Each structure stands twice: as structure tokens, then as C-alpha cells.
Amino acid sequence: MIVAFSVTPLGVGEDVGEYVADAVRVVRESGLPHRTDAMFTSVEGEWEEVMDVVRRAVAAVEARAPRVSLVLKADIRPGVTDGLTAKVETIERHLT
């Protein structure tokens, strides 16, 4: 399963980078395959472990912000591994 999610602190002003970094730190420390870009962090693994990482990432931001917004999209496809890389490689093949 791949989950793409975005955690946004609300009520802390416009500069939210340090809060988002707290969430990304949780993902990086999880040891699961992941990617972070300008809008979302994607993480890959089994349902329980991925959702635990998302929960802990939200909690890290929630610990410092009065309100938190979470956007989450999941690709639930049993038996598929290395989807973060394979999906991008497929698109790249079609572009060349």
C-alpha cells in the first residue's frame, strides 16, 4: 500500500515549515520507503505500519499546533512492493 499524505498545522501563521518537518521526521525515522515533495509525503508498507506512521506524524504536528489538517490518499494493492519506484519507472518508460 502507498499512502500520500499532507499534514498542515493551522493557527500557527504562514511559516509552517518547522511543523511539517516534525511530521516528515517521523516518516524518515519509520524506516519505511518514502518520498517527500513540495505538496505530499508518500510512504509505502503494510496497512497497519503505514497508518501508524501517519498517526504519529499527525500527533507530532498536533503537539505544537492548536489545529491540524490531514489530506490522505491511499493506493491499496495487496502483493505489490516497491510501488514508489515502479510507478515512476513505468511513466518514465512511456516518456522516452
Side-chain angles (χ1 to χ4, degrees):
M1 131 181 256
I2 299 173
V3 168
F5 73 103
S6 173
V7 179
T8 306
L10 303 175
V12 296
E14 288 185 39
D15 187 10
V16 298
E18 67 183 271
Y19 300 89
V20 173
D22 289 342
V24 173
R25 189 172 294 110
V26 169
V27 174
R28 289 184 177 179
E29 291 173 355
S30 75
L32 295 176
H34 63 276
R35 284 207 179 107
T36 298
D37 61 33
M39 298 291 293
F40 286 90
T41 294
S42 297
V43 61
E44 183 173 14
E46 297 299 319
W47 178 274
E48 292 81 12
E49 59 190 359
V50 170
M51 296 312 272
D52 180 61
V53 169
V54 172
R55 181 191 57 76
R56 290 186 293 116
V58 170
V61 175
E62 188 178 32
R64 299 180 52 213
R67 187 175 177 187
V68 179
S69 173
L70 170 66
V71 175
L72 185 141
K73 180 178 181 178
D75 181 357
I76 303 164
R77 194 170 175 194
V80 173
T81 56
D82 198 29
L84 283 175
T85 302
K87 285 181 170 230
V88 174
E89 288 174 351
T90 298
I91 298 301
E92 291 297 332
R93 267 196 322 273
H94 289 288
L95 290 170
T96 57

Tab-separated table of all heavy atoms in Angstrom, residues 24-66:
chain	number	residue	atom	x	y	z
A	24	VAL	N	7.577	14.990	8.827
A	24	VAL	CA	8.477	14.288	7.903
A	24	VAL	C	9.539	13.511	8.687
A	24	VAL	O	9.912	12.397	8.310
A	24	VAL	CB	9.120	15.270	6.903
A	24	VAL	CG1	10.186	14.583	6.061
A	24	VAL	CG2	8.035	15.883	6.005
A	25	ARG	N	9.984	14.060	9.787
A	25	ARG	CA	10.969	13.363	10.634
A	25	ARG	C	10.410	12.006	11.089
A	25	ARG	O	11.119	10.994	11.092
A	25	ARG	CB	11.324	14.226	11.831
A	25	ARG	CG	12.485	13.702	12.651
A	25	ARG	CD	12.935	14.692	13.722
A	25	ARG	NE	13.494	15.897	13.118
A	25	ARG	CZ	12.908	17.104	13.148
A	25	ARG	NH1	11.760	17.280	13.760
A	25	ARG	NH2	13.478	18.138	12.565
A	26	VAL	N	9.148	11.975	11.477
A	26	VAL	CA	8.507	10.722	11.893
A	26	VAL	C	8.554	9.705	10.753
A	26	VAL	O	8.869	8.533	10.964
A	26	VAL	CB	7.049	10.977	12.352
A	26	VAL	CG1	6.287	9.666	12.523
A	26	VAL	CG2	7.019	11.791	13.629
A	27	VAL	N	8.246	10.159	9.545
A	27	VAL	CA	8.259	9.264	8.381
A	27	VAL	C	9.669	8.734	8.138
A	27	VAL	O	9.867	7.530	7.966
A	27	VAL	CB	7.718	9.981	7.129
A	27	VAL	CG1	7.863	9.101	5.893
A	27	VAL	CG2	6.264	10.393	7.325
A	28	ARG	N	10.642	9.601	8.148
A	28	ARG	CA	12.021	9.182	7.883
A	28	ARG	C	12.525	8.206	8.931
A	28	ARG	O	13.233	7.252	8.616
A	28	ARG	CB	12.930	10.402	7.797
A	28	ARG	CG	12.677	11.196	6.541
A	28	ARG	CD	13.626	12.340	6.385
A	28	ARG	NE	13.350	13.017	5.115
A	28	ARG	CZ	14.002	14.082	4.696
A	28	ARG	NH1	14.987	14.580	5.431
A	28	ARG	NH2	13.681	14.631	3.558
A	29	GLU	N	12.167	8.438	10.175
A	29	GLU	CA	12.609	7.549	11.252
A	29	GLU	C	11.883	6.208	11.252
A	29	GLU	O	12.313	5.268	11.905
A	29	GLU	CB	12.448	8.254	12.598
A	29	GLU	CG	13.427	9.405	12.781
A	29	GLU	CD	13.188	10.231	14.032
A	29	GLU	OE1	12.186	9.983	14.750
A	29	GLU	OE2	14.010	11.133	14.294
A	30	SER	N	10.777	6.110	10.501
A	30	SER	CA	9.999	4.867	10.466
A	30	SER	C	10.746	3.734	9.771
A	30	SER	O	10.469	2.562	10.014
A	30	SER	CB	8.663	5.093	9.751
A	30	SER	OG	8.845	5.185	8.339
A	31	GLY	N	11.645	4.071	8.868
A	31	GLY	CA	12.356	3.054	8.108
A	31	GLY	C	11.589	2.551	6.897
A	31	GLY	O	12.104	1.737	6.131
A	32	LEU	N	10.369	3.009	6.694
A	32	LEU	CA	9.587	2.594	5.530
A	32	LEU	C	10.028	3.380	4.302
A	32	LEU	O	10.489	4.524	4.419
A	32	LEU	CB	8.095	2.846	5.781
A	32	LEU	CG	7.446	2.027	6.895
A	32	LEU	CD1	5.994	2.455	7.079
A	32	LEU	CD2	7.535	0.550	6.600
A	33	PRO	N	9.867	2.791	3.113
A	33	PRO	CA	10.168	3.541	1.889
A	33	PRO	C	9.276	4.784	1.829
A	33	PRO	O	8.075	4.714	2.123
A	33	PRO	CB	9.815	2.560	0.761
A	33	PRO	CG	9.846	1.207	1.393
A	33	PRO	CD	9.436	1.415	2.828
A	34	HIS	N	9.860	5.913	1.446
A	34	HIS	CA	9.089	7.160	1.428
A	34	HIS	C	9.701	8.157	0.455
A	34	HIS	O	10.848	8.025	0.046
A	34	HIS	CB	9.054	7.778	2.829
A	34	HIS	CG	10.410	8.155	3.320
A	34	HIS	ND1	11.240	7.250	3.933
A	34	HIS	CD2	11.110	9.300	3.231
A	34	HIS	CE1	12.383	7.835	4.229
A	34	HIS	NE2	12.340	9.090	3.805
A	35	ARG	N	8.904	9.150	0.104
A	35	ARG	CA	9.329	10.288	-0.714
A	35	ARG	C	8.578	11.507	-0.221
A	35	ARG	O	7.387	11.434	0.069
A	35	ARG	CB	8.966	10.079	-2.179
A	35	ARG	CG	9.842	9.127	-2.886
A	35	ARG	CD	9.896	9.431	-4.387
A	35	ARG	NE	10.796	8.466	-4.977
A	35	ARG	CZ	10.414	7.445	-5.723
A	35	ARG	NH1	9.158	7.272	-6.003
A	35	ARG	NH2	11.305	6.606	-6.197
A	36	THR	N	9.255	12.618	-0.170
A	36	THR	CA	8.616	13.881	0.182
A	36	THR	C	8.832	14.854	-0.960
A	36	THR	O	9.943	14.976	-1.475
A	36	THR	CB	9.209	14.459	1.485
A	36	THR	OG1	8.964	13.543	2.548
A	36	THR	CG2	8.578	15.798	1.834
A	37	ASP	N	7.752	15.532	-1.365
A	37	ASP	CA	7.882	16.585	-2.367
A	37	ASP	C	7.232	17.854	-1.816
A	37	ASP	O	6.953	17.932	-0.626
A	37	ASP	CB	7.302	16.152	-3.725
A	37	ASP	CG	5.822	15.833	-3.683
A	37	ASP	OD1	5.072	16.461	-2.900
A	37	ASP	OD2	5.379	14.958	-4.452
A	38	ALA	N	7.003	18.816	-2.653
A	38	ALA	CA	6.508	20.112	-2.197
A	38	ALA	C	5.096	20.063	-1.603
A	38	ALA	O	4.732	20.933	-0.811
A	38	ALA	CB	6.532	21.113	-3.356
A	39	MET	N	4.330	19.037	-1.956
A	39	MET	CA	2.930	19.002	-1.525
A	39	MET	C	2.570	17.824	-0.621
A	39	MET	O	1.684	17.936	0.209
A	39	MET	CB	2.006	18.970	-2.751
A	39	MET	CG	2.116	20.182	-3.642
A	39	MET	SD	1.464	21.665	-2.872
A	39	MET	CE	-0.260	21.264	-2.785
A	40	PHE	N	3.213	16.669	-0.827
A	40	PHE	CA	2.839	15.463	-0.103
A	40	PHE	C	4.069	14.646	0.292
A	40	PHE	O	5.120	14.765	-0.317
A	40	PHE	CB	1.950	14.555	-0.970
A	40	PHE	CG	0.549	15.062	-1.139
A	40	PHE	CD1	0.218	15.895	-2.191
A	40	PHE	CD2	-0.439	14.703	-0.234
A	40	PHE	CE1	-1.067	16.374	-2.339
A	40	PHE	CE2	-1.730	15.180	-0.372
A	40	PHE	CZ	-2.044	16.012	-1.427
A	41	THR	N	3.874	13.794	1.262
A	41	THR	CA	4.831	12.750	1.585
A	41	THR	C	4.149	11.426	1.285
A	41	THR	O	3.011	11.203	1.706
A	41	THR	CB	5.261	12.809	3.063
A	41	THR	OG1	5.993	14.022	3.269
A	41	THR	CG2	6.137	11.634	3.439
A	42	SER	N	4.833	10.563	0.548
A	42	SER	CA	4.316	9.227	0.246
A	42	SER	C	5.115	8.224	1.051
A	42	SER	O	6.333	8.339	1.172
A	42	SER	CB	4.448	8.910	-1.240
A	42	SER	OG	3.667	9.803	-2.003
A	43	VAL	N	4.410	7.246	1.580
A	43	VAL	CA	5.056	6.197	2.366
A	43	VAL	C	4.453	4.858	1.946
A	43	VAL	O	3.264	4.768	1.649
A	43	VAL	CB	4.915	6.464	3.886
A	43	VAL	CG1	3.483	6.495	4.326
A	43	VAL	CG2	5.709	5.489	4.708
A	44	GLU	N	5.287	3.811	1.900
A	44	GLU	CA	4.849	2.507	1.414
A	44	GLU	C	5.078	1.437	2.468
A	44	GLU	O	6.119	1.418	3.134
A	44	GLU	CB	5.620	2.150	0.143
A	44	GLU	CG	5.189	0.844	-0.481
A	44	GLU	CD	5.846	0.602	-1.834
A	44	GLU	OE1	6.815	1.300	-2.175
A	44	GLU	OE2	5.377	-0.302	-2.536
A	45	GLY	N	4.097	0.557	2.616
A	45	GLY	CA	4.217	-0.552	3.549
A	45	GLY	C	2.878	-1.221	3.747
A	45	GLY	O	1.944	-1.028	2.968
A	46	GLU	N	2.784	-2.013	4.784
A	46	GLU	CA	1.526	-2.674	5.118
A	46	GLU	C	0.585	-1.693	5.813
A	46	GLU	O	1.028	-0.713	6.424
A	46	GLU	CB	1.793	-3.882	6.030
A	46	GLU	CG	2.628	-4.969	5.384
A	46	GLU	CD	1.970	-5.555	4.146
A	46	GLU	OE1	0.741	-5.771	4.165
A	46	GLU	OE2	2.688	-5.791	3.157
A	47	TRP	N	-0.704	-1.970	5.724
A	47	TRP	CA	-1.747	-1.082	6.250
A	47	TRP	C	-1.431	-0.580	7.657
A	47	TRP	O	-1.414	0.616	7.918
A	47	TRP	CB	-3.094	-1.806	6.226
A	47	TRP	CG	-4.221	-1.000	6.789
A	47	TRP	CD1	-4.590	-0.910	8.096
A	47	TRP	CD2	-5.105	-0.150	6.067
A	47	TRP	NE1	-5.657	-0.065	8.233
A	47	TRP	CE2	-5.993	0.412	7.001
A	47	TRP	CE3	-5.243	0.183	4.721
A	47	TRP	CZ2	-7.001	1.293	6.632
A	47	TRP	CZ3	-6.245	1.061	4.359
A	47	TRP	CH2	-7.114	1.608	5.311
A	48	GLU	N	-1.205	-1.501	8.578
A	48	GLU	CA	-1.017	-1.136	9.983
A	48	GLU	C	0.196	-0.239	10.182
A	48	GLU	O	0.143	0.750	10.910
A	48	GLU	CB	-0.883	-2.386	10.876
A	48	GLU	CG	-2.145	-3.208	10.987
A	48	GLU	CD	-2.368	-4.137	9.785
A	48	GLU	OE1	-1.441	-4.332	8.963
A	48	GLU	OE2	-3.481	-4.656	9.663
A	49	GLU	N	1.306	-0.575	9.526
A	49	GLU	CA	2.518	0.201	9.738
A	49	GLU	C	2.435	1.576	9.078
A	49	GLU	O	2.883	2.580	9.655
A	49	GLU	CB	3.763	-0.569	9.284
A	49	GLU	CG	3.783	-0.979	7.849
A	49	GLU	CD	4.921	-1.934	7.510
A	49	GLU	OE1	5.732	-2.287	8.382
A	49	GLU	OE2	5.002	-2.329	6.334
A	50	VAL	N	1.838	1.651	7.899
A	50	VAL	CA	1.702	2.947	7.221
A	50	VAL	C	0.754	3.862	7.997
A	50	VAL	O	1.067	5.037	8.233
A	50	VAL	CB	1.219	2.758	5.766
A	50	VAL	CG1	0.837	4.084	5.140
A	50	VAL	CG2	2.285	2.064	4.937
A	51	MET	N	-0.379	3.322	8.412
A	51	MET	CA	-1.339	4.166	9.137
A	51	MET	C	-0.788	4.584	10.502
A	51	MET	O	-1.073	5.685	10.984
A	51	MET	CB	-2.679	3.448	9.273
A	51	MET	CG	-3.348	3.185	7.928
A	51	MET	SD	-3.399	4.630	6.843
A	51	MET	CE	-4.914	5.344	7.399
A	52	ASP	N	0.047	3.754	11.107
A	52	ASP	CA	0.694	4.138	12.356
A	52	ASP	C	1.642	5.309	12.134
A	52	ASP	O	1.698	6.246	12.941
A	52	ASP	CB	1.441	2.950	12.958
A	52	ASP	CG	2.130	3.320	14.260
A	52	ASP	OD1	1.425	3.715	15.215
A	52	ASP	OD2	3.373	3.239	14.320
A	53	VAL	N	2.378	5.287	11.033
A	53	VAL	CA	3.282	6.394	10.714
A	53	VAL	C	2.484	7.675	10.490
A	53	VAL	O	2.846	8.745	10.992
A	53	VAL	CB	4.168	6.062	9.487
A	53	VAL	CG1	4.912	7.293	8.991
A	53	VAL	CG2	5.135	4.945	9.831
A	54	VAL	N	1.389	7.582	9.750
A	54	VAL	CA	0.546	8.762	9.522
A	54	VAL	C	0.014	9.286	10.850
A	54	VAL	O	0.063	10.495	11.119
A	54	VAL	CB	-0.615	8.442	8.553
A	54	VAL	CG1	-1.595	9.610	8.479
A	54	VAL	CG2	-0.078	8.097	7.164
A	55	ARG	N	-0.465	8.403	11.704
A	55	ARG	CA	-0.999	8.811	13.010
A	55	ARG	C	0.067	9.526	13.829
A	55	ARG	O	-0.176	10.584	14.412
A	55	ARG	CB	-1.521	7.586	13.772
A	55	ARG	CG	-2.122	7.913	15.143
A	55	ARG	CD	-2.383	6.662	15.969
A	55	ARG	NE	-1.200	5.831	16.175
A	55	ARG	CZ	-0.216	6.119	17.037
A	55	ARG	NH1	-0.252	7.213	17.756
A	55	ARG	NH2	0.815	5.298	17.157
A	56	ARG	N	1.269	8.967	13.844
A	56	ARG	CA	2.356	9.575	14.628
A	56	ARG	C	2.826	10.902	14.021
A	56	ARG	O	3.194	11.830	14.743
A	56	ARG	CB	3.512	8.597	14.780
A	56	ARG	CG	3.142	7.434	15.711
A	56	ARG	CD	4.298	6.497	16.028
A	56	ARG	NE	4.756	5.750	14.865
A	56	ARG	CZ	5.965	5.852	14.315
A	56	ARG	NH1	6.862	6.655	14.826
A	56	ARG	NH2	6.281	5.118	13.264
A	57	ALA	N	2.793	11.006	12.701
A	57	ALA	CA	3.163	12.268	12.042
A	57	ALA	C	2.161	13.368	12.391
A	57	ALA	O	2.543	14.502	12.687
A	57	ALA	CB	3.241	12.069	10.524
A	58	VAL	N	0.890	13.020	12.372
A	58	VAL	CA	-0.144	13.984	12.767
A	58	VAL	C	0.042	14.373	14.237
A	58	VAL	O	-0.021	15.552	14.595
A	58	VAL	CB	-1.561	13.421	12.523
A	58	VAL	CG1	-2.623	14.307	13.154
A	58	VAL	CG2	-1.817	13.261	11.029
A	59	ALA	N	0.305	13.406	15.086
A	59	ALA	CA	0.494	13.681	16.518
A	59	ALA	C	1.679	14.609	16.750
A	59	ALA	O	1.634	15.477	17.638
A	59	ALA	CB	0.672	12.376	17.288
A	60	ALA	N	2.741	14.470	15.957
A	60	ALA	CA	3.914	15.333	16.111
A	60	ALA	C	3.565	16.786	15.823
A	60	ALA	O	4.015	17.692	16.523
A	60	ALA	CB	5.034	14.863	15.187
A	61	VAL	N	2.733	17.009	14.819
A	61	VAL	CA	2.312	18.373	14.496
A	61	VAL	C	1.279	18.858	15.517
A	61	VAL	O	1.338	19.996	15.987
A	61	VAL	CB	1.754	18.450	13.059
A	61	VAL	CG1	1.209	19.840	12.753
A	61	VAL	CG2	2.828	18.063	12.052
A	62	GLU	N	0.378	17.982	15.880
A	62	GLU	CA	-0.668	18.312	16.841
A	62	GLU	C	-0.092	18.720	18.202
A	62	GLU	O	-0.682	19.525	18.923
A	62	GLU	CB	-1.592	17.110	16.997
A	62	GLU	CG	-2.824	17.344	17.816
A	62	GLU	CD	-3.702	16.110	17.860
A	62	GLU	OE1	-3.172	14.972	17.826
A	62	GLU	OE2	-4.922	16.300	17.929
A	63	ALA	N	1.074	18.212	18.543
A	63	ALA	CA	1.705	18.536	19.819
A	63	ALA	C	2.086	20.009	19.909
A	63	ALA	O	2.224	20.549	21.004
A	63	ALA	CB	2.950	17.660	20.019
A	64	ARG	N	2.222	20.670	18.745
A	64	ARG	CA	2.661	22.064	18.727
A	64	ARG	C	1.680	23.024	18.086
A	64	ARG	O	1.901	24.235	18.112
A	64	ARG	CB	3.989	22.145	17.993
A	64	ARG	CG	5.062	21.319	18.681
A	64	ARG	CD	6.397	21.383	17.968
A	64	ARG	NE	6.802	22.767	17.740
A	64	ARG	CZ	7.494	23.165	16.684
A	64	ARG	NH1	7.855	22.304	15.757
A	64	ARG	NH2	7.851	24.420	16.547
A	65	ALA	N	0.615	22.510	17.482
A	65	ALA	CA	-0.345	23.375	16.787
A	65	ALA	C	-1.739	23.177	17.369
A	65	ALA	O	-2.108	22.060	17.741
A	65	ALA	CB	-0.352	23.051	15.293
A	66	PRO	N	-2.537	24.242	17.424
A	66	PRO	CA	-3.870	24.117	18.005
A	66	PRO	C	-4.862	23.338	17.127
A	66	PRO	O	-5.884	22.867	17.614
A	66	PRO	CB	-4.331	25.567	18.176
A	66	PRO	CG	-3.542	26.353	17.182
A	66	PRO	CD	-2.231	25.631	17.039
